Structure formats: C-alpha cells, structure tokens
Amino acid sequence: MTTTNGLDAEAYDRVRSFAWCSWHKGFTDTARLVSITEQGSARAGGQFACAPCRAKYNLVPVADQPL
Ligand SMILES: [Zn+2]
C-alpha cells in the first residue's frame, strides 16, 4: 500500500517477459523469443519459450544466436 511505485516498476519489468510458452502450453515470466527452423516447415518467424523449456529442448533465443 505504501510501495506502489516499487511494485509498479517490478510488475512492468515482469510483464515485458511475460508470454505464452509454445512448448509447455502455458504462460511464463521467463519467456524468450526463439526462432523456429524445423526442417520441412513452411512457418517462418519465432515463438516464445520459457527458461525450463529452452533447457529441455535445447532452444536458443534469437538474441543469443550468431548472425
Ligand atoms: Zn515452457
């Protein structure tokens, strides 16, 4: 009640990485955008994956991939 500003800043920071994880089919606050390069797939672009799913499926966030 007396820390409205602090909570707002923290909430805003969490929202920025809060997204739907396409791997475990649920919302996560550790989402990162990963590119989809499945062989034979016509889909382009990327999907969000949470930290546990990135580790489990060996996914590399777009921002961490070499150009
Ligand atoms: Zn996940």
Side-chain angles (χ1 to χ4, degrees), residues 21 23-24 49-50 53:
C21 175
W23 277 261
H24 77 260
C50 68
C53 285

Side-chain angles (χ1 to χ4, degrees), residues 5-48:
N5 288 339
L7 288 176
D8 282 348
E10 183 180 344
Y12 179 75
D13 192 50
R14 288 176 62 84
V15 166
R16 292 177 61 187
S17 60
F18 192 81
W20 178 265
C21 175
S22 299
W23 277 261
H24 77 260
K25 306 296 182 183
F27 284 107
T28 173
D29 60 1
T30 60
R32 293 287 299 278
L33 183 67
V34 298
S35 60
I36 306 301
T37 56
E38 284 187 22
Q39 189 174 9
S41 175
R43 281 188 175 184
Q47 296 183 39
F48 286 96

